[in-house]
Amino acid sequence: MSFRGSQPYQIDDRSRVPIPPRYRPAFLEGAVLVPGTENCIEVYTVDSWDEQAAVLDQVPMESEETRQAYRAFFANSTDAPCDTQGRIV
């Protein structure tokens, strides 16, 4: 899933950020967070995370660079459940 547009949301005082209402149905199972570039966080639905993991599982692990990227992607990911108001911590 790709998000479109810009949202003016901010992290609240309890370290939560709301998912825009039009995207909340996709996150009923929760989200998977991964550190991105430029101090951003990549947010995946559980289904899109599984799809990305399946693609990465097909990449040959011969090079050290590939293995490091694979480890970094999976080791730095975390599950993030959504609360009843559509926010993730």
Side-chain angles (χ1 to χ4, degrees):
M1 167 183 282
S2 296
F3 298 106
R4 292 179 294 283
S6 177
Q7 306 299 324
Y9 298 114
Q10 295 182 355
I11 297 173
D12 69 13
D13 59 345
R14 295 172 77 186
S15 298
R16 300 173 302 191
V17 66
I19 300 228
R22 70 180 179 180
Y23 296 116
R24 288 180 188 163
F27 289 94
L28 294 176
E29 294 180 49
V32 180
L33 307 178
V34 179
T37 58
E38 299 176 2
N39 293 321
C40 292
I41 298 172
E42 294 179 13
V43 180
Y44 292 86
T45 64
V46 173
D47 288 341
S48 64
W49 172 258
D50 291 341
E51 290 171 10
Q52 183 66 35
V55 169
L56 291 174
D57 283 339
Q58 300 302 313
V59 176
M61 295 291 165
E62 281 102 27
S63 77
E64 182 178 344
E65 183 178 275
T66 301
R67 290 189 300 272
Q68 287 177 350
Y70 184 89
R71 284 187 205 113
F73 187 78
F74 286 98
N76 293 314
S77 64
T78 186
D79 293 321
C82 291
D83 67 12
T84 57
Q85 295 180 347
R87 298 173 297 200
I88 56 175
V89 177

